Structures are given as structure tokens and as C-alpha cells.
Amino acid sequence: MSSVSRVLSDHPDVSPKLRARVLEAVVQLGYEPDYLAQSLRRGATLSVGFVMADISNPLMAEIASGAEAVFQEAGYSMVLMNAHNEERLESSHIRFLTTRRVDGMLLSLSSESSRPTQRLLTRLDVPYVLIERELPPRFQAPSVVSDHRSGIRTAVSELIELGHRRFGLLTGSLDIRSGRERLAGMREALEIHGLDAGDGIAVSIGLSPANGERATEDLLDLPTPPTAIIAGGNQLLVGTLRALAKRNLKVGEDIALVAVDEVPITEFHSPPIAVVARDSTGLGRAAAELLLQRMRGEPSAGTVVLPTTFVWRPSCSPPRVQPVT
Amino acid sequence: MSSVSRVLSDHPDVSPKLRARVLEAVVQLGYEPDYLAQSLRRGATLSVGFVMADISNPLMAEIASGAEAVFQEAGYSMVLMNAHNEERLESSHIRFLTTRRVDGMLLSLSSESSRPTQRLLTRLDVPYVLIERELPPRFQAPSVVSDHRSGIRTAVSELIELGHRRFGLLTGSLDIRSGRERLAGMREALEIHGLDAGDGIAVSIGLSPANGERATEDLLDLPTPPTAIIAGGNQLLVGTLRALAKRNLKVGEDIALVAVDEVPITEFHSPPIAVVARDSTGLGRAAAELLLQRMRGEPSAGTVVLPTTFVWRPSCSPPRVQPVT
DNA sequence: TTGTAAGCGTTATCAT
DNA sequence: ATGATAACGCTTACAA
């Protein structure tokens, strides 16, 4: 038994003769080692888990692809678990991966303040890395994030220079870093240009087309509606486009529009829609590399920030009626 | 030890008093059972694996969501593995899941004829269900598929009735059932209407925007180019739209266009694009249910076929120049 | 009802 | 260099 084990795990202390004999028997019998037993004994599984808030977000898919490539390279398998944006599922997934003894976890949580999840993480003994999320300082949680703040700041600044004075920002939960950063980006742009913070109207809603549609209509119904809308999420964008179509408002003529994240509609819409883009596969790769470092016990960065870029497109035009300045 | 085990797995033969004592100790010590050891002993893991050809296909994501909901309900955890359309990764994923002792697998393979994968599957001892795929009869592999054939047949028939006589079908590998079925659907429509099979030009290419763009240009460069294009995949659709834009051809005026699968661009393109839609979450749910039946050893269907629907939209207009009939 | 002990398939330690 | 044996953490006969 032990000789077989030695042969199969390339232990040096084994004669060429025995090695050959074992290898032959292995082929003969079609023997396959049991990873479960191996892992139980070794205490390591050579696998990592990735818990994502929502698999149906194409950006998440790209992040996962980026991460998987790095892990594959390093000999690790990555298993994905989808939380459907449900807190309950999320903590159950983390627990599941723990019991399966993954050697590390990548987490893109649907909420940063979920009590069960936080409790779980405080006594989690495998390393983990957050993606586009941040936890309270006491967690000292390493993370990889995009600089949404400067992306939105640039976008809003450009809109201001085009003559816009009133903005509507649709965003997901402010319980998530990216939402907060986008809001901060808009506020910073307003402040830089000496505008009132109240001229940036933020609506924080669940990431669904229906919510996006409703919120957009609400914005348009305001006494002084925004002349530019920033749709912070591709699902919300779909809703916004529906609302605008319903009211017969032409993007880039009657209203300016900026989307977050590069997706097919932004390119193919008429007119094409400006976006604040992030490096999705880069996020995945960076997170995987950071996690590998921590799994090896190497010194590693606390937070990695990746840049975003504002891509101008014709959806960003001057406002219909130039307001008095 | 055994009493603890009994309490934790709800064995009836345990006194309320002891149960309480155990439960208290569990809380006190923060004890968590080791699934690895449990599974090793029990021979079952209460988990299933889902190997998908490509996570970045949003339809796949929906299928996964549908399946996960059903498994969750039944007490199973579903782990996802992404093959990036690479045969090599695919078989390695299946092997990984086998060693992790998943109790069943859902497979949406990137190729139906990969030798390594086929070899793996013949001696796979956990039940599996294919999604949108079919293997040679000797596998007797249960599967859940969509009726792409009738969807495309309907679409092409409608185009013929609008006056179109020449068609270009862009599709992924014919090594995958859906590609073959779409081709068959087009041929059937041509035959029904007494047209020549040669008037349906099928191009089988890798599912990327670049390939879609190139193939579309090739179609347009033909001596008698098609007046209607069917883009069989949302990545290909992106390429087709790019090619048409480059040549300044207006969808629904200069050329008719049908897409496969409902995605945001089809709704928001100007003009909106007709699609052959399938029930993605339904596919996932049906596959999960079928797999559960097989895992329980219940009698179950061999192949489940779900309907597709053709959704007309303005991208389907009569051809520019009415050909002589 | 409870406790003892064997065993799941490995690997690591220890003699030989 | 090789083989016997204990141990990883659990479940389940079986005995008490």
C-alpha cells in the first residue's frame, strides 16, 4: 500500500523496478486514487471556491473566467457557486465550501453587511479574497476592486462640461462598495464644478430591469427631472431603455445616458451608449493571484485597485434646453 | 462519538437529555462536521456538478440558475465548472468532479465527439444528464434539449413567405446537436416550400464575434448573397451586426435578420431583432429534475424536448428587390 | 439508549 | 528501499 502511494505521489525513495510494477498494476486494474480520502489525509484539496452574487451578470462571468485561468495554471480547480443575490444562499455556500475543504475562496458577496456571512468569515480558517467588495476594517479582508469612483467622476464631469446640471444615478444596493463609490464619484464631480450635491439624485434599487424601469420613470416625473442618467448596472440599463422608449425620449437627443460596464447593447444601441468600463478579466486574474499568494502564506497586498475608463459615445450629448448658469 | 453523530444526523435512538447535552457542546465548541470524512464514509456527497462549455453565454447562466433552484430545493449543492470551450478542460473537469464524488452531473459539453470525454463517460459510475447535447446511441445518455429545428423551420418559413429565397445560417460547431438541428430546420423549411437545398447556406464557425463578423462578410460577398441571415448564437449576432454596420446595410430594410436566443440587444436594437427563443431556465429545471430521478434510481425519461418559439420583430421584412418567383 | 470498535482510502511514521 | 501500522474524522454494526 505505502509503496503504491509513494509511486503515485512521486516520492523519491522507490526503486525503478517496484515503480514499474506498481505502474503496470495501476493500468491493469484501472486504479484511480480517491481524492476524498487523499484530501482527508493531507488536509488540502487543491481546489478553490468562488461564491458569486449573481451568475447572470455577464461581467461576473468574465471575472470568473479570468480567475479560473490563473488557478488552472497553478494546478487548482475552481468551483463556482451562485448565490442568486440571496444572503441566505450565500452563507450556505460559504459553509458548503468550507466543509468541502477548499483551500481558498473568492467572494463577490451580494451584501457586505450580512450578519450570518460576517459571522462565518470571522472564524473562517481558509484564506479568502473579496472581489469588488469591502468589509469593515476589523476583517482586514484582502480585496480586488475597480476604481468606480474616478470612472463616474470623469463621466459626470464630461456631462457637466456638455452643459448638464442635473443627474440621475441608478445604482444597486449601497450596501456594496461599487454602489457607494459610484455615488461618491458623482458627488465629487458636482463639487469640483461647484454644483449643489442635491443636483445628483441617487436611486438605490435592486438590480432588475423592472426596478430600473420604475426608477427611471420616477426620475422623469420629478418637478425638475435630470437631463442625464447614469445606469449603474446592465440590468438596470435595460429597464432605463424601456422607460425611455415608453416615453418616446430619444437617447442622445432628449436625454443623455451613461452606462456602467461594456455589454453588447452599449455598442449596438442607436445611438451607441457611453460607458464606464472596467477590466473584468483583469479583476478575476488579480483576485486569483492575490488568493494564491495568501494560500502560500506569502506577503501580499491588502487591496488592489484596478482603473476604470470612461468611453464617450453619442448617447452623451448636450442637454436639449441649455439651462441658465 | 457515535452519539454525537446520531444527534447530528437525526437518528431516532437518542434520549432528549443526551441530545440537549450534545447540542450544547456543539455550540460551545463551534463544532462543524467534516463533510470530507462524512462523504468518505457514506459514499455520497449530496452535491452535483455542472460542467458548462462556456460560462460567458448568458443563456448558460440562466440554465444554471434554473437547475440550481431545483437542486437547492432537493437539498443538493450544485458546483459549476467552466470549460472555456476547451475539450481538454472539459474532461479534466469531469474527472475532478468524479474524484470529488459528486452524486450526479449535468453536462453541456463543448463537443459531442471528444474521445477523452467519451471514454470518461463510458466508465462514469454516477448518473449524468446532457443539456442541449446528444451522444451516440450506445451511451443511452439521458438529455434535455430544445426543439431548435422547428423554431428555425418556422422562422425560415415566415421569411420565405415574405419573399426571401436565399438564406445564410451562421451556426456553431455541427458537432453539437443544436447546430445540426438548426441546419435541419432550415433545410426542412426550404423543402416544404419547394426551394433548393442549396439556397440555404450554412456556415459553421467558432462562437466568437470575430468569426461572426468574418462569416457575415463572406456571405455578403457571394455572387448571389442571401437576403436573410440567421445568427445562431448571441456572440455570432454581435459579429453579424458589426459586419452589417460596416457595410452600411440597414437591418430590416437591406437585409432580414433572425437571431437565436433572447438577449438584451435583440429587444433594444433598432429595429428590434426577431428571435427563435427557448426556455432557458426551463431547460435547467428539467435537467435537474431528470438527474434527481436518475440519482434516486427512479424510472425516468430518456430525452426531454422543450419547445422553442419564433418571435417576429421588424428585423424581418420582405427583401429589397423582390426576386422573380 | 448508549458506548465500543471497525472501516471508508489515503499518507506519514516507524521499523526493518 | 520496503512494508506494517496508525491516523485523518466520520458512520454504523454490534455489544452492552
Side-chain angles (χ1 to χ4, degrees):
Chain A
M1 271 176 61
S2 35
S3 290
V4 174
S5 173
R6 277 189 277 256
V7 169
L8 264 37
S9 44
D10 286 323
H11 195 93
D13 293 351
V14 56
S15 69
K17 194 180 141 195
L18 184 62
R19 152 164 285 118
R21 216 150 51 93
V22 168
L23 256 27
E24 196 199 302
V26 163
V27 173
Q28 191 94 155
L29 305 169
Y31 170 82
E32 296 237 13
D34 184 326
Y35 255 57
L36 236 46
Q38 272 184 348
S39 305
L40 176 61
R41 183 59 234 236
R42 295 212 256 235
T45 57
L46 281 180
S47 68
V48 298
F50 188 160
V51 180
M52 52 171 62
D54 183 16
I55 193 185
S56 64
N57 181 338
L59 263 282
M60 268 297 154
E62 287 178 24
I63 291 174
S65 291
E68 194 167 46
V70 171
F71 286 130
Q72 209 74 46
E73 179 70 20
Y76 283 81
S77 297
M78 184 181 92
V79 313
L80 230 52
M81 302 203 78
N82 178 22
H84 279 99
N85 282 319
E86 291 174 37
E87 277 187 28
R88 195 186 46 73
L89 265 183
E90 201 153 79
S91 51
S92 124
H93 283 349
I94 294 175
R95 204 165 3 230
F96 174 84
L97 291 170
T98 310
T99 59
R100 285 308 151 95
R101 289 284 142 84
V102 293
D103 299 334
M105 288 189 207
L106 251 31
L107 304 175
S108 194
L109 306 168
S110 55
S111 152
E112 292 174 352
S113 59
S114 158
R115 299 300 298 162
T117 302
Q118 288 199 351
R119 213 174 353 254
L120 224 50
L121 291 179
T122 45
R123 42 185 175 74
L124 187 62
D125 47 3
V126 308
Y128 62 93
V129 169
L130 305 178
I131 298 182
E132 294 283 27
R133 302 290 183 269
E134 77 190 346
L135 288 175
R138 66 187 166 92
F139 284 91
Q140 299 225 30
S143 63
V144 177
V145 300
S146 298
D147 190 1
H148 299 289
R149 184 191 294 233
S150 85
I152 296 290
R153 191 177 52 222
T154 308
V156 173
S157 294
E158 300 238 2
L159 287 166
I160 292 176
E161 276 155 30
L162 284 171
H164 291 272
R165 291 295 175 270
R166 212 161 156 75
F167 304 87
L169 170 69
L170 268 46
T171 183
S173 168
L174 292 180
D175 194 39
I176 282 175
R177 191 194 123 98
S178 37
R180 291 192 301 272
E181 288 291 301
R182 285 173 186 143
L183 177 52
M186 176 174 71
R187 298 237 163 105
E188 285 181 10
L190 292 173
E191 197 183 327
I192 291 169
H193 293 80
L195 298 182
D196 194 284
D199 285 326
I201 306 144
V203 191
S204 163
I205 45 180
L207 296 167
S208 74
N211 286 339
E213 185 170 352
R214 188 148 10 91
T216 304
E217 297 205 70
D218 289 349
L219 283 175
L220 298 172
D221 286 337
L222 253 35
T224 38
T227 58
I229 289 182
I230 299 140
N234 43 66
Q235 301 270 59
L236 296 181
L237 175 63
V238 168
T240 297
L241 290 173
R242 284 195 188 137
L244 297 180
K246 208 155 102 186
R247 304 226 173 172
N248 244 316
L249 292 173
K250 295 257 174 288
V251 172
E253 295 179 29
D254 305 315
I255 193 154
L257 181 61
V258 174
V260 148
D261 293 338
E262 197 71 272
V263 285
I265 3 176
T266 57
E267 175 185 355
F268 292 110
H269 190 268
S270 308
I273 301 170
V275 298
V276 173
R278 53 178 152 167
D279 179 5
S280 46
T281 52
L283 277 166
R285 278 199 307 272
E289 272 152 14
L290 185 47
L291 182 57
L292 284 173
Q293 284 172 8
R294 302 196 69 105
M295 281 162 45
R296 298 190 193 109
E298 297 169 5
S300 63
T303 296
V304 176
V305 182
L306 268 52
T308 56
T309 50
F310 174 62
V311 182
W312 183 89
R313 295 208 181 103
S315 69
C316 283
S317 53
R320 255 273 120 104
V321 180
Q322 201 83 14
V324 197
T325 36
Chain B
M1 269 178 64
S2 40
S3 290
V4 173
S5 172
R6 277 189 278 256
V7 169
L8 263 38
S9 44
D10 286 324
H11 195 94
D13 291 352
V14 56
S15 69
K17 195 180 142 195
L18 184 63
R19 153 165 284 118
R21 224 158 36 104
V22 168
L23 256 26
E24 196 198 304
V26 163
V27 173
Q28 192 94 152
L29 305 168
Y31 171 82
E32 296 239 11
D34 184 327
Y35 255 57
L36 236 45
Q38 271 184 349
S39 306
L40 177 61
R41 183 59 232 240
R42 296 211 258 235
T45 57
L46 281 180
S47 69
V48 298
F50 187 160
V51 180
M52 51 172 63
D54 183 16
I55 192 186
S56 65
N57 181 338
L59 263 282
M60 268 296 154
E62 286 177 25
I63 292 174
S65 290
E68 193 167 46
V70 171
F71 286 130
Q72 210 74 46
E73 180 71 19
Y76 283 81
S77 296
M78 184 181 92
V79 312
L80 231 52
M81 301 204 79
N82 178 22
H84 280 98
N85 281 318
E86 290 174 38
E87 277 188 27
R88 195 186 46 74
L89 266 183
E90 199 153 81
S91 51
S92 124
H93 283 350
I94 295 175
R95 203 164 6 226
F96 175 85
L97 291 170
T98 311
T99 59
R100 286 309 151 96
R101 290 283 145 82
V102 293
D103 298 335
M105 288 189 208
L106 251 30
L107 304 174
S108 193
L109 306 168
S110 55
S111 153
E112 291 174 353
S113 60
S114 158
R115 299 300 299 161
T117 302
Q118 287 198 354
R119 212 171 358 250
L120 224 51
L121 256 27
T122 46
R123 43 185 173 75
L124 188 62
D125 47 1
V126 309
Y128 63 93
V129 169
L130 304 178
I131 299 183
E132 293 283 26
R133 301 290 183 269
E134 77 191 344
L135 288 174
R138 65 186 166 92
F139 285 91
Q140 300 225 29
S143 63
V144 177
V145 300
S146 298
D147 190 1
H148 299 288
R149 183 190 294 235
S150 85
I152 297 290
R153 189 176 54 223
T154 308
V156 173
S157 294
E158 300 237 3
L159 287 166
I160 292 175
E161 276 155 31
L162 284 171
H164 291 273
R165 290 295 175 271
R166 208 158 160 78
F167 304 87
L169 171 68
L170 267 45
T171 183
S173 168
L174 291 179
D175 193 41
I176 281 175
R177 190 193 125 98
S178 37
R180 292 192 300 273
E181 288 291 301
R182 285 173 186 144
L183 177 52
M186 176 174 72
R187 298 237 163 105
E188 285 182 9
L190 292 172
E191 197 183 327
I192 292 169
H193 293 79
L195 298 182
D196 194 283
D199 286 326
I201 307 144
V203 190
S204 164
I205 45 180
L207 296 167
S208 73
N211 287 338
E213 185 171 351
R214 187 146 13 89
T216 304
E217 296 204 70
D218 289 349
L219 283 175
L220 297 173
D221 286 337
L222 253 34
T224 38
T227 58
I229 290 182
I230 298 137
N234 42 68
Q235 301 270 59
L236 295 180
L237 174 62
V238 168
T240 298
L241 290 174
R242 284 194 187 138
L244 297 179
K246 206 154 102 185
R247 305 225 172 175
N248 244 317
L249 292 173
K250 295 258 173 288
V251 171
E253 294 179 28
D254 306 315
I255 193 153
L257 182 61
V258 174
V260 147
D261 293 338
E262 197 72 272
V263 284
I265 3 179
T266 57
E267 175 186 354
F268 291 109
H269 190 267
S270 310
I273 302 168
V275 298
V276 174
R278 53 178 151 165
D279 179 4
S280 45
T281 52
L283 277 166
R285 278 199 308 271
E289 272 153 13
L290 185 47
L291 183 58
L292 284 173
Q293 284 172 8
R294 303 196 69 106
M295 282 164 43
R296 297 191 194 109
E298 297 169 5
S300 64
T303 296
V304 176
V305 182
L306 267 51
T308 56
T309 49
F310 173 62
V311 182
W312 183 89
R313 294 209 180 103
S315 69
C316 284
S317 53
R320 256 271 120 107
V321 179
Q322 201 82 14
V324 198
T325 35

